[in-house]
Amino acid sequence: MSPNRRVVIVPCSGIGKTFGTVSREAAYTVVEDLRPDTAELVALSLLVLGDEEARAAVAEHPTITIDGCRLACATKMVQESGFTVARSFTVLDAFRKHRDLKPEGISSLNPEGQKLARVLAEEVAEAVDELAKVYPDNGGSDADSA
Amino acid sequence: MEFLELTVDKFTFRFATDRYYHPDGVWALPEEDNRVRIGLSDFAQQSNGDVAFAEVKPVGTTVAFGEEVASIETIKANVFVPTPVSGTVVEVNQALEVRPELINEDPYGEGWLAVIAASDWEADRARLLDAQAYLERVREIAEEEMKKR
């Protein structure tokens, strides 16, 4: 992880699920567009496999999970890997707040789904800002810059 | 509360034995004073996915057997919920307005939909399935779905 990136985001890895796609789109939007200097993605699969860099990133930085549905696989797997989830979001909750944005599609989302991902990403970005203030000095794991 | 269970592939469905079932997955539990509580079966909630919104017809609405008594929007589908009993809606589960996920979490308990003052419960009951018969129907549906995969 870059020294400046102080918050980790772990999205749902549900394949073939519309809400999983929204969670990943939201995560990409945060790390590539909204908070590229602060937030970093960690793949849930790497974490579950025990990848050292992934584990170090989650261990040393506040972690936000974005789940697609109430199974909450991302949140549960971070916790079952022995780590703490600082904030958790679900696409289902975001949809409940924005009923007009019904997502459809899997490989590519409909316009409503893209808007929902953007709305969710903006909420997550605010959480990134809050956590970055709370944990201002934890950016030194350097896990992906070796 | 006692249950029958059916496991198909990785899914296990429960069927409360103290109530009757509309073939489309709505249970009916007779209570005192000719009132019948209704809700979605475990199979119906699992096959339709996480509930995002649940809208039940308001108190005072008259419904006939099989007519829509609620509409449920899940992450997969918009679900038409037929009433398993004719009569008048006398109570609606207000908790669903803020926690529609109760339908998923506790379909036979806190996730109930409405209470209906039945107009002819004996006639309606004759059209419903008991838990064992509904389990067999679900088995047929689930096995058909498995063949399509």
Side-chain angles (χ1 to χ4, degrees):
Chain A
M1 177 172 245
S2 162
N4 292 326
R5 291 182 180 170
R6 301 192 297 273
V7 178
V8 162
I9 296 176
V10 182
C12 161
S13 65
I15 299 302
K17 308 290 185 187
T18 299
F19 277 47
T21 301
V22 174
S23 76
R24 288 187 292 279
E25 285 292 327
Y28 299 147
T29 300
V30 175
V31 302
E32 293 177 2
D33 184 12
L34 299 178
R35 299 294 183 273
D37 298 328
T38 315
E40 178 88 11
L41 275 184
V42 166
L44 184 59
S45 53
L46 287 179
L47 193 63
V48 172
L49 280 172
D51 177 83
E52 287 185 15
E53 287 186 15
R55 289 182 62 84
V58 174
E60 296 172 18
H61 302 84
T63 297
I64 295 172
T65 54
I66 308 177
D67 285 295
C69 66
R70 68 189 180 94
L71 289 177
C73 298
T75 298
K76 287 177 184 172
M77 295 314 298
V78 168
Q79 292 170 336
E80 289 185 14
S81 296
F83 304 110
T84 300
V85 174
R87 292 284 304 275
S88 61
F89 294 83
T90 70
V91 177
L92 184 60
D93 286 340
F95 175 49
R96 283 175 176 157
K97 294 180 200 167
H98 304 279
R99 191 172 186 176
D100 56 322
L101 302 181
K102 176 81 181 263
E104 292 178 0
I106 295 170
S107 59
S108 62
L109 291 169
N110 63 348
E112 289 82 4
Q114 292 171 16
K115 286 182 188 172
L116 185 65
R118 180 75 187 192
V119 167
L120 177 55
E122 288 169 356
E123 282 187 38
V124 174
E126 289 181 13
V128 168
D129 294 343
E130 292 168 11
L131 291 169
K133 287 177 190 168
V134 175
Y135 301 92
D137 300 320
N138 66 354
S141 84
D142 217 14
D144 68 354
S145 59
Chain B
M1 198 183 302
E2 294 184 355
F3 299 95
L4 301 176
E5 282 193 359
L6 171 66
T7 299
V8 180
D9 194 23
K10 63 181 180 181
F11 302 101
T12 296
F13 307 112
R14 299 202 305 169
F15 305 83
T17 56
D18 61 352
R19 60 200 74 192
Y20 299 88
Y21 295 84
H22 186 284
D24 290 344
V26 187
W27 54 257
L29 178 65
E31 298 180 340
E32 293 179 349
D33 300 327
N34 213 35
R35 293 155 65 102
V36 180
R37 192 172 298 266
I38 68 170
L40 221 56
S41 73
D42 183 35
F43 173 71
Q45 69 84 11
Q46 286 197 52
S47 51
N48 284 300
D50 293 353
V51 176
F53 304 99
E55 293 177 350
V56 183
K57 298 287 186 187
V59 168
T61 304
T62 299
V63 287
F65 185 96
E67 285 185 352
E68 183 179 70
V69 69
S71 61
I72 291 174
E73 187 167 355
T74 76
I75 61 175
K76 293 181 182 175
N78 292 325
V79 183
F80 168 92
V81 181
T83 178
V85 55
S86 301
T88 303
V89 176
V90 293
E91 196 176 342
V92 170
N93 188 353
Q94 300 293 339
L96 298 179
E97 289 184 15
V98 289
R99 293 191 61 203
E101 65 268 26
L102 287 171
I103 294 170
N104 298 116
E105 294 171 359
D106 190 10
Y108 296 121
E110 290 188 42
W112 61 277
L113 297 175
V115 177
I116 294 175
S119 55
D120 191 351
W121 169 240
E122 290 305 319
D124 288 336
R125 187 175 66 177
R127 303 167 75 177
L128 301 175
L129 306 171
D130 64 16
Q132 183 64 51
Y134 179 57
L135 180 152
E136 295 303 331
R137 176 173 171 78
V138 167
R139 188 198 308 276
E140 290 173 11
I141 295 169
E143 287 178 352
E144 280 299 313
E145 286 297 317
M146 293 299 292
K147 286 177 188 171
K148 291 178 186 173
R149 293 185 180 181

PDB file of all heavy atoms in Angstrom, chain B residues 1 9 32 35 70 103:
ATOM      1  N   MET B   1     -42.438 -23.707  17.953  1.00  0.00           N
ATOM      2  CA  MET B   1     -42.826 -23.928  16.573  1.00  0.00           C
ATOM      3  C   MET B   1     -42.030 -25.112  16.010  1.00  0.00           C
ATOM      4  O   MET B   1     -40.830 -25.205  16.200  1.00  0.00           O
ATOM      5  CB  MET B   1     -42.521 -22.661  15.749  1.00  0.00           C
ATOM      6  CG  MET B   1     -43.229 -22.579  14.427  1.00  0.00           C
ATOM      7  SD  MET B   1     -42.753 -21.109  13.483  1.00  0.00           S
ATOM      8  CE  MET B   1     -43.185 -19.769  14.596  1.00  0.00           C
ATOM      9  N   ASP B   9     -29.996 -29.595  -3.107  1.00  0.00           N
ATOM     10  CA  ASP B   9     -28.672 -29.064  -3.409  1.00  0.00           C
ATOM     11  C   ASP B   9     -28.116 -28.413  -2.135  1.00  0.00           C
ATOM     12  O   ASP B   9     -28.109 -29.030  -1.083  1.00  0.00           O
ATOM     13  CB  ASP B   9     -28.770 -28.090  -4.590  1.00  0.00           C
ATOM     14  CG  ASP B   9     -27.409 -27.746  -5.193  1.00  0.00           C
ATOM     15  OD1 ASP B   9     -26.468 -28.538  -5.023  1.00  0.00           O
ATOM     16  OD2 ASP B   9     -27.286 -26.688  -5.812  1.00  0.00           O
ATOM     17  N   GLU B  32     -57.398 -16.421  16.921  1.00  0.00           N
ATOM     18  CA  GLU B  32     -58.711 -16.265  17.559  1.00  0.00           C
ATOM     19  C   GLU B  32     -59.603 -15.316  16.758  1.00  0.00           C
ATOM     20  O   GLU B  32     -59.112 -14.515  15.949  1.00  0.00           O
ATOM     21  CB  GLU B  32     -58.521 -15.713  18.980  1.00  0.00           C
ATOM     22  CG  GLU B  32     -57.833 -16.699  19.910  1.00  0.00           C
ATOM     23  CD  GLU B  32     -57.636 -16.118  21.294  1.00  0.00           C
ATOM     24  OE1 GLU B  32     -57.838 -14.900  21.475  1.00  0.00           O
ATOM     25  OE2 GLU B  32     -57.278 -16.889  22.198  1.00  0.00           O
ATOM     26  N   ARG B  35     -59.619 -14.597  12.839  1.00  0.00           N
ATOM     27  CA  ARG B  35     -58.532 -13.828  12.218  1.00  0.00           C
ATOM     28  C   ARG B  35     -57.463 -14.800  11.731  1.00  0.00           C
ATOM     29  O   ARG B  35     -57.201 -15.828  12.357  1.00  0.00           O
ATOM     30  CB  ARG B  35     -57.928 -12.853  13.237  1.00  0.00           C
ATOM     31  CG  ARG B  35     -58.915 -11.754  13.643  1.00  0.00           C
ATOM     32  CD  ARG B  35     -58.578 -11.200  15.002  1.00  0.00           C
ATOM     33  NE  ARG B  35     -57.303 -10.511  15.029  1.00  0.00           N
ATOM     34  CZ  ARG B  35     -57.171  -9.184  15.017  1.00  0.00           C
ATOM     35  NH1 ARG B  35     -58.234  -8.412  14.960  1.00  0.00           N
ATOM     36  NH2 ARG B  35     -55.984  -8.622  15.068  1.00  0.00           N
ATOM     37  N   ALA B  70     -50.147  -8.035  -1.073  1.00  0.00           N
ATOM     38  CA  ALA B  70     -48.889  -7.318  -0.827  1.00  0.00           C
ATOM     39  C   ALA B  70     -48.019  -7.411  -2.072  1.00  0.00           C
ATOM     40  O   ALA B  70     -48.178  -8.320  -2.890  1.00  0.00           O
ATOM     41  CB  ALA B  70     -48.149  -7.920   0.362  1.00  0.00           C
ATOM     42  N   ILE B 103     -38.644 -10.244   6.783  1.00  0.00           N
ATOM     43  CA  ILE B 103     -39.240 -11.308   5.959  1.00  0.00           C
ATOM     44  C   ILE B 103     -38.198 -12.382   5.658  1.00  0.00           C
ATOM     45  O   ILE B 103     -38.498 -13.578   5.639  1.00  0.00           O
ATOM     46  CB  ILE B 103     -39.814 -10.720   4.656  1.00  0.00           C
ATOM     47  CG1 ILE B 103     -40.992  -9.804   4.988  1.00  0.00           C
ATOM     48  CG2 ILE B 103     -40.228 -11.820   3.676  1.00  0.00           C
ATOM     49  CD1 ILE B 103     -41.487  -8.994   3.805  1.00  0.00           C
TER      50      ILE B 103
END
